[in-house]
Amino acid sequence: MVLGYLLARAGIDVLVLEKHVDFLRDFRGDTVHPSTLQVLYELGILDSFLARPHQQLKRIGAQIGPFQVKIADFTHLPTKCKFVVLMPQWDFLNFLVESAKGYSGFRVMMETEATDLIEEQGRICGLRAKKRNNPVEIRADLVVAADGRHSVMRQKANLKSEILGAPIDVLWMRVSRKAESDPEQSLGRVSTGKFLVMLNRGDYWQCAYVIPKDGFDKIRAKGIESFRKDLAEVAPFLSDRVDELKSWDDIKLLSVAVDRLRDWCRAGFLCIGDSAHAMSPIGGVGINLAIQDAVAAANILAPSLRAGEVSTRLLRKVQQRRLFPTRATQRLQIFAQDRIVYPTLRSGAPIETLPWPIKLLNRFQILRRVPARVIGLGFRPEHVRIQASQ
Ligand SMILES: Cc1cc2nc3c(=O)[nH]c(=O)nc-3n(C[C@H](O)[C@H](O)[C@H](O)COP(=O)(O)OP(=O)(O)OC[C@H]3O[C@@H](n4cnc5c(N)ncnc54)[C@H](O)[C@@H]3O)c2cc1C
């Protein structure tokens, strides 16, 4: 959607397909980071974005066993917004569509699922889709796959991925929030063998409960009551509400994948976001990395697209530009999931002491600027370089 916005703003005709009837999917997290807010600022739409209901997170902390710790402090970032915004992603996507509709070249087709690519003489020159079971054929100078971590388009393009592995999955559920007594801030909570992230969505908590990969059957076999007890143990203030989870239907399993394509493009075709590199939820950075890909792609491709076709050499430039930040972020995610999150899940021992890096972060405010920079800005932040067309 961000790439569609940027290209339409540059005077290029864009058609964005979305297979669902709306954006009310509940699986992608809510964080809009300072790097993305900077892009909105550069586009002149930050104020209208911030006018929508949201929360601002200036600092990140966690409850680790009995210790309340401070981990990241965004207030010193060299950006317009020195905080992370929490906004449900459907609101963010609706905002982008409404903002993009001001550009005559922008169109979005909802309920339209891309199913195949059209290839002629070795070049992708369009795609096939179905709109409510009716076949549609669309021709284009460039097809961009931004269809997420289960990308069908990248398979159809026959692009091979390297599986980097994720030893965790996530259970995703809602529990009501009591404004008068619950904590205000979204928070990570860790206790004996349990890891919970809670996003404050006003009248409810969106909870992400991390489990070992393929561990859901084992948890289910113990029964829902046992699961409710686990949840109440890691977040005791939820004890009076965990029975809102009536059955396993209220708990969604989200499988986590971390992978990366070897080649992100072919003639006439480019993958960005999770389609090129599926991200783990760790650090909540995947949405923002996908947006950075979009900004880089627009900067590199818009001048050629205005003139018609783009060369494969230019498409490769997008990959070259985004490979380092993607690789570095995935490395950190894999380190965190393999060395911190997974061992915590496997350990049955109560937490009696903090790991020394957390102790240092908690003690010295200046050190909390480092995780803030990595999470909030990421590696090689992108800026909008393409002017709006007259
Ligand atoms: C449990 C979990 C929690 C996460 N939490 C966060 C977080 O808090 N913050 C964060 O930054 N990242 C988070 N991430 C990572 C983040 O979800 C992804 O990195 C990010 O969504 C990638 O964006 P994307 O646009 O590439 O793909 P997606 O967000 O997956 O979007 C793909 C879109 O394409 C549509 N689509 C798919 N196939 C087709 C098709 N064939 N035709 C038409 N449309 C199609 C889908 O409906 C969807 O709208 C989380 C990941 C997981 C697994």
Side-chain angles (χ1 to χ4, degrees), residues 96-138:
L96 287 172
V97 173
E98 282 164 34
S99 310
K101 277 185 177 159
Y103 299 110
S104 56
F106 182 84
R107 278 192 304 147
V108 57
M109 262 167 90
M110 301 302 288
E111 266 189 295
T112 310
E113 180 174 2
T115 52
D116 208 351
L117 293 166
I118 304 173
E119 185 174 340
E120 282 169 7
Q121 292 156 357
R123 185 182 175 86
I124 308 288
C125 54
L127 57 76
R128 296 193 181 82
K130 57 177 194 236
K131 187 169 175 61
R132 285 189 228 112
N133 286 327
N134 297 318
V136 188
E137 219 179 87
I138 297 156

Side-chain angles (χ1 to χ4, degrees), residues 89-274:
Q89 204 180 106
W90 51 89
D91 286 344
F92 182 33
L93 286 165
N94 282 325
F95 166 77
L96 287 172
V97 173
E98 282 164 34
S99 310
K101 277 185 177 159
Y103 299 110
S104 56
F106 182 84
R107 278 192 304 147
V108 57
M109 262 167 90
M110 301 302 288
E111 266 189 295
T112 310
E113 180 174 2
T115 52
D116 208 351
L117 293 166
I118 304 173
E119 185 174 340
E120 282 169 7
Q121 292 156 357
R123 185 182 175 86
I124 308 288
C125 54
L127 57 76
R128 296 193 181 82
K130 57 177 194 236
K131 187 169 175 61
R132 285 189 228 112
N133 286 327
N134 297 318
V136 188
E137 219 179 87
I138 297 156
R139 298 264 160 176
D141 293 324
L142 176 67
V143 174
V144 179
D147 51 343
R149 60 187 186 272
H150 305 297
S151 173
V152 169
M153 290 295 98
R154 77 180 191 186
Q155 276 173 33
K156 297 287 176 186
N158 219 4
L159 296 177
K160 300 280 173 281
S161 68
E162 197 182 332
I163 311 284
L164 302 172
I168 53 169
D169 284 330
V170 171
L171 300 181
W172 198 242
M173 72 214 96
R174 294 175 175 198
V175 180
S176 65
R177 182 172 170 271
K178 289 187 180 166
E180 53 305 339
S181 53
D182 285 0
E184 184 58 33
Q185 291 289 28
S186 300
L187 206 64
R189 307 184 77 89
V190 187
S191 84
T192 328
K194 299 176 189 74
F195 210 106
L196 179 72
V197 177
M198 302 175 74
L199 301 174
N200 177 351
R201 283 195 184 156
D203 57 351
Y204 69 93
W205 291 103
Q206 179 63 57
C207 298
Y209 186 79
V210 184
I211 61 170
K213 186 131 219 100
D214 301 328
F216 193 31
D217 284 347
K218 214 163 140 191
I219 291 173
R220 259 201 306 219
K222 289 191 196 156
I224 186 103
E225 193 45 47
S226 158
F227 178 69
R228 290 190 197 120
K229 251 176 73 192
D230 286 350
L231 208 58
E233 193 187 310
V234 65
F237 63 92
L238 294 185
S239 306
D240 57 349
R241 281 159 270 169
V242 283
D243 51 10
E244 288 170 12
L245 300 167
K246 301 262 178 268
S247 73
W248 295 111
D249 294 341
D250 296 326
I251 299 155
K252 231 179 279 169
L253 170 68
L254 299 178
S255 90
V256 175
V258 184
D259 64 31
R260 195 169 60 238
L261 290 182
R262 287 198 190 106
D263 293 307
W264 299 15
C265 62
R266 282 184 49 189
F269 179 80
L270 172 70
C271 291
I272 60 170
D274 269 21

Side-chain angles (χ1 to χ4, degrees), residues 32-94:
V32 184
H33 288 208
S35 57
T36 300
L37 296 169
Q38 193 69 17
V39 168
L40 299 183
Y41 173 63
E42 288 165 5
L43 290 170
I45 55 175
L46 178 66
D47 289 343
S48 46
F49 173 74
L50 292 178
R52 308 217 163 191
H54 71 278
Q55 290 171 60
Q56 297 181 3
L57 210 59
K58 294 194 168 108
R59 295 171 189 88
I60 294 183
Q63 180 79 37
I64 304 181
F67 310 100
Q68 174 98 41
V69 293
K70 299 173 190 134
I71 290 177
D73 180 350
F74 299 103
T75 58
H76 299 274
L77 287 180
T79 44
K80 176 83 182 154
C81 297
K82 299 174 194 314
F83 48 80
V84 168
V85 162
L86 290 174
M87 181 186 282
Q89 204 180 106
W90 51 89
D91 286 344
F92 182 33
L93 286 165
N94 282 325

